[in-house]
Amino acid sequence: MPSYLFIFAQTHAEFRLPELESIAELHGFAIHNMSRDTSSPFAVYGLDSDEHARILAKRCILLKHVYEFYAQGATYEELHSANEKSRHLWSHYAQDASFKFVVSAHNHTIPSSRHRTIMESFNYMDFRGEITLKNPQVTLGIFEDYEKSSHVSATPSIRDSSFRQVYFGRLVSDNIFLVGGGITGPQIADGEARSLIGVFDVKKRLYYGNTSMESEVSLLMANQALATSSKLIYDPFCGTGSMAYPVAYFGAQVYGSDIDGRQIRGKGGKDSPPGVLKAAQQYGVADRIIDLCTFDVTVNPWRCGNLFDAIVTDPPYGVRAGAKRLGRKKELSEEKKAANIEHQRSARNRLEPYIPPTKPYELSALVVDLVLLARYLLKPKGRLVFFLPTVNESYEEVDVHSMLCEGMTLVANSLQDFGSWGRRLVTIRKDTEQDFAAPTFTEHAPPNHVPAHKDFRDQYFRGFKNPEAAQE
């Protein structure tokens, strides 16, 4: 089985493997010999073909390059010895193909004086083709992986050549197999998807809000949701539409709802499209937004389940905007209830808008209800993808497992660490074909285990200290 060198971006390390596995599942192939170690941006995995490498590089946001793997070693002597044993992989294009070498390092800058020395150490490969820096038929990469330096005195000149491992391979492309004939331009596995981060940059968006999700993370969520054409995807807390744009860009049809219609509409006039649709038009995906509605997810219009292929959302958790549901913090007396009903009737007669009262929706109750709603609305094998903020010091694995219910299986749980707290990208799959009743969204009994995300807003604003310490 061919081996491939994966070179990842140096952000969101815990998100890399779930994204790779999701895109491989979406396209129906497997990734072999996967290590769960994410301490290095370099990893060697098995794939069945170059085409699978190109698929991953074209779609995975955290993947920068994929190289056909030739060799690695703790020293260049080990590397060259292993590369000699891989001669059958590269000898067939050494005589004719134009080529170039790429030399790079992680956690280090290789002095320019050593670049030539490194490249000339591969002279035994006996390349006879033309050296071409622009659009070569073969790109050969040499990558040194260094430990992160914690000492000011560890200057580049002192650390040079003290790498953990050095890797060598060929950038995946189609053209090398046509050597001797008409070689066409390369189709490269070269991290095309990362350019989408700039395309969906919130700062360039026509419409956004203070809770809009950053583009890189929203693209990751779309990949976790397996967004593609022919799929129907729902965001029950759509807000300013950050989840809708990348999901629709990948071809899915999108339905969104929110309890606050002002977030969806923006400040445009009556004759202008809602703010979310303005941004959707900017990205050329407005025709994939089926509808955007205003309702409380706990008082929803869904009268049958098994509707959606995925639910992808970022529930509000109270730092910049709190979650709300219909209801009152305190129950009214019978006299006030009667007066309130009369007020509603009078407002309708005068054609005045009636704004129903809302009350806070505690996060730990919200996520339990969200999983139950997803079990009802998702098709079998459908996915629920959402962010869950947690207090890092008190987080336990049971916090996530306790919100699962029958028929729902945890697929991935990846942390984006902010120090005292973090947010976890949770992916849950519906692994049953059984039909379930719609959730009732009744009040929940106090849990046996108090999760780290319970009352997260209160914990955040008191600096994650216990109430007594915060008061002092």
Side-chain angles (χ1 to χ4, degrees), residues 241-284:
S242 294
M243 300 299 107
Y245 311 129
V247 165
Y249 178 84
F250 290 134
Q253 303 293 313
V254 183
Y255 187 96
S257 70
D258 201 285
I259 192 172
D260 188 353
R262 295 171 298 178
Q263 294 287 320
I264 297 172
R265 293 189 297 271
K267 294 183 179 180
K270 294 181 179 179
D271 298 329
S272 62
V276 172
L277 288 185
K278 287 181 183 177
Q281 291 170 354
Q282 175 186 357
Y283 299 127

Side-chain angles (χ1 to χ4, degrees), residues 361 363-373 402-405 439 441 444 453:
Y361 199 178
L363 180 62
S364 62
L366 185 155
V367 293
V368 170
D369 288 341
L370 179 62
V371 174
L372 290 171
L373 179 67
S402 63
M403 70 179 67
L404 299 178
C405 57
F441 301 106
H444 296 277
H453 54 270

Side-chain angles (χ1 to χ4, degrees), residues 95-270:
Q95 300 299 312
D96 303 287
S98 63
F99 70 97
K100 75 171 180 180
F101 277 84
V102 174
V103 182
S104 184
H106 171 239
N107 284 332
H108 180 65
T109 300
I110 300 174
S112 56
S113 59
R114 197 163 71 87
H115 276 238
R116 184 169 181 174
T117 302
I118 292 172
M119 291 186 284
E120 289 182 345
S121 69
F122 289 85
N123 57 10
Y124 61 88
M125 296 180 73
D126 197 23
F127 274 82
R128 300 296 180 89
E130 179 184 2
I131 299 174
T132 305
L133 299 183
K134 186 176 181 180
N135 296 326
Q137 293 158 358
V138 176
T139 298
L140 298 165
I142 305 155
F143 304 97
E144 297 178 355
D145 185 17
Y146 289 77
E147 294 277 3
K148 186 174 182 179
S149 175
S150 58
H151 302 286
V152 177
S153 60
T155 60
S157 59
I158 294 175
R159 299 183 71 217
D160 196 42
S161 300
S162 301
F163 46 78
R164 295 182 293 188
Q165 287 284 303
V166 57
Y167 301 88
F168 180 58
R170 169 191 62 87
L171 185 64
V172 173
S173 62
D174 280 342
N175 54 16
I176 65 167
F177 301 106
L178 305 175
V179 172
I183 301 178
T184 59
Q187 296 181 17
I188 298 175
D190 201 15
E192 298 174 36
R194 286 198 62 75
S195 63
L196 295 177
I197 298 173
V199 172
F200 289 96
D201 185 357
V202 175
K203 296 178 182 178
K204 302 175 185 176
R205 190 174 296 168
L206 292 178
Y207 177 67
Y208 60 90
N210 64 344
T211 59
S212 294
M213 178 70 71
E214 61 267 34
S215 59
E216 184 175 20
V217 174
S218 62
L219 287 160
L220 283 169
M221 295 179 73
N223 279 344
Q224 286 297 101
L226 309 183
T228 189
S229 56
S230 79
K231 290 198 172 184
L232 179 59
I233 295 181
Y234 174 43
D235 183 355
F237 304 97
C238 70
T240 57
S242 294
M243 300 299 107
Y245 311 129
V247 165
Y249 178 84
F250 290 134
Q253 303 293 313
V254 183
Y255 187 96
S257 70
D258 201 285
I259 192 172
D260 188 353
R262 295 171 298 178
Q263 294 287 320
I264 297 172
R265 293 189 297 271
K267 294 183 179 180
K270 294 181 179 179

Side-chain angles (χ1 to χ4, degrees), residues 232-234 255 302 305-311 377-380 382:
L232 179 59
I233 295 181
Y234 174 43
Y255 187 96
W302 310 119
N306 296 341
L307 289 174
F308 299 103
D309 296 285
I311 295 175
L377 290 179
L378 288 175
K379 298 176 183 177

Side-chain angles (χ1 to χ4, degrees), residues 411-432:
V411 173
N413 175 12
S414 308
L415 173 66
Q416 184 181 11
D417 195 346
F418 298 124
S420 298
W421 70 286
R423 56 181 185 181
R424 293 182 171 273
L425 182 56
V426 179
T427 304
I428 298 172
R429 182 177 59 231
K430 181 178 178 179
D431 278 339
T432 179

Side-chain angles (χ1 to χ4, degrees), residues 13 18 49 56 66 74 91 111 119 163 168 181 232 293 317 326 335 349 357 366-367 389 413 431 444 457:
S49 70
L56 292 172
V66 182
S91 60
M119 291 186 284
F163 46 78
F168 180 58
L232 179 59
C293 295
Y317 44 87
L326 295 180
E335 181 180 344
N349 292 337
L366 185 155
V367 293
N413 175 12
D431 278 339
H444 296 277
R457 181 182 185 279

